[in-house]
């Protein structure tokens, strides 16, 4: 089947049926709710809430189109053996990874705060990748999952734009994936970093990939649904 072109910067993005996955990065309570890791770093977590409605709509369209959906969660083992001292000690946050927080131990697997917000909860059968770093490929089996599913195109969403979204997009681009970052479905605690982070993806002819908003991607997913039916 021919790719469906999505209006994007710097050029139309080729959406390919059966080869596209939606990646939802770290939409976890620890990043989005007051009292979590994000706030412990001094951030205003309310800024990330704007991502939830458009991402919810995009997720619905992706599920309806039957494309592969993969969620990621940043976090660590309870004994912190997979958390490098440099990450643990970085900065001077009021609370660190592993400390008790409002939603359990901060960014620790199995804790309430580490899990994905209710609005975007994974459905049964959707892959959830637990990652110790900022990039979703580092220290995970994401490459194997994508290869096994025959995926070549990634729709990248989640938080935060300039940290885990950027790191993952760069990792994916270097591995040969064609990446479309969905601009209103990624968010940052810093509006300026968000804006420039998106520009960095598309500069120089799309050095890391493509950028489009959900209003451009959702109709293409609907088209995929119609074409596949
Ligand atoms: N602090 C910040 O902006 N982000 C992170 O620590 N992790 C992710 O981006 N997921």
């Amino acid at each position: 089947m021919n790719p469906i072109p999505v209006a994007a910067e710097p050029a139309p993005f080729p959406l390919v049926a059966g080869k596209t996955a939606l990646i939802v990065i770290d939409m976890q309570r620890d990043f989005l709710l007051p009292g979590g890791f994000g706030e412990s770093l001094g951030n205003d977590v309310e800024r990330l809430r704007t991502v939830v409605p458009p991402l919810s709509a995009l997720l619905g369209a992706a599920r309806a189109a039957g494309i592969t959906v993969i969620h990621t969660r940043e976090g660590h083992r309870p004994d912190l053996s997979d958390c490098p001292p440099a990450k643990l000690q970085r900065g001077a946050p009021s609370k660190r990874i592993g400390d008790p927080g409002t939603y359990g131990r901060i960014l620790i697997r199995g804790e309430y705060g580490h899990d994905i917000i209710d609005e975007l909860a994974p459905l049964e059968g959707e892959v959830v990748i637990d990652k110790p770093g900022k990039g979703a490929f580092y220290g995970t089996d994401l490459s194997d999952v994508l290869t096994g599913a025959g995926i070549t195109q990634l729709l990248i969403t989640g938080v935060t734009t300039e940290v885990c979204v950027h790191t993952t997009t760069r990792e994916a681009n270097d591995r040969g994936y064609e990446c479309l970052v969905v601009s209103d479905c990624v968010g940052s605690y810093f509006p300026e970093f968000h804006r420039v982070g998106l520009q960095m993806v598309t500069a120089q002819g799309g050095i890391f990939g493509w950028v489009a908003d959900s209003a451009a991607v959702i109709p293409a997913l609907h088209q995929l649904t119609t074409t596949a039916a």
Side-chain angles (χ1 to χ4, degrees):
M1 195 183 118
N2 289 334
I4 295 168
V6 177
E9 293 294 330
F13 176 81
L15 191 70
V16 186
K19 293 186 179 298
T20 303
L22 172 65
I23 311 284
V24 184
I25 297 176
D26 301 356
M27 292 299 288
Q28 295 160 255
R29 299 185 181 108
D30 267 339
F31 290 113
L32 283 122
L33 301 187
F37 179 61
E39 193 175 82
S40 81
L41 295 173
N43 297 308
D44 174 6
V45 296
E46 282 308 311
R47 291 198 184 281
L48 301 193
R49 304 284 321 166
T50 59
V51 170
V52 178
L55 180 47
S56 210
L58 184 71
L59 188 56
R63 285 170 174 160
I67 76 164
T68 301
V69 175
I70 297 172
H71 306 259
T72 73
R73 298 183 296 203
E74 181 178 350
H76 299 277
R77 297 188 182 122
D79 65 1
L80 295 172
S81 58
D82 59 351
C83 185
K87 182 176 182 183
L88 201 55
Q89 290 154 18
R90 189 85 44 83
S94 57
K95 291 198 168 166
R96 296 184 190 280
I97 295 169
D99 283 352
T102 315
Y103 311 108
R105 291 180 68 202
I106 290 174
L107 238 53
I108 297 296
R109 293 177 192 163
E111 301 286 342
Y112 181 78
H114 171 263
D115 212 350
I116 293 164
I117 58 169
D118 294 340
E119 299 94 311
L120 301 171
L123 295 184
E124 202 164 326
E126 291 176 352
V127 174
V128 179
I129 301 276
D130 280 319
K131 64 188 186 59
K134 304 305 182 193
F137 289 86
Y138 171 72
T140 75
D141 63 356
L142 179 58
S143 274
D144 294 338
V145 170
L146 295 174
T147 303
I151 301 297
T152 56
Q153 325 288 119
L154 303 180
L155 305 177
I156 299 187
T157 65
V159 297
T160 63
T161 311
E162 77 281 9
V163 183
C164 293
V165 169
H166 238 265
T167 307
T168 300
T169 303
R170 290 169 187 237
E171 285 182 327
N173 179 63
D174 278 353
R175 286 165 173 76
Y177 295 97
E178 298 198 298
C179 302
L180 172 67
V181 179
V182 188
S183 56
D184 53 336
C185 295
V186 296
S188 171
Y189 302 116
F190 304 93
E192 185 68 1
F193 292 172
H194 174 77
R195 188 179 65 77
V196 177
L198 292 176
Q199 283 178 357
M200 285 180 185
V201 173
T202 60
Q204 304 181 65
I207 195 83
F208 298 125
W210 289 254
V211 171
D213 63 12
S214 59
V217 180
I218 289 174
L221 288 171
H222 287 156
Q223 213 178 318
L224 217 56
T225 318
T226 319
T227 318

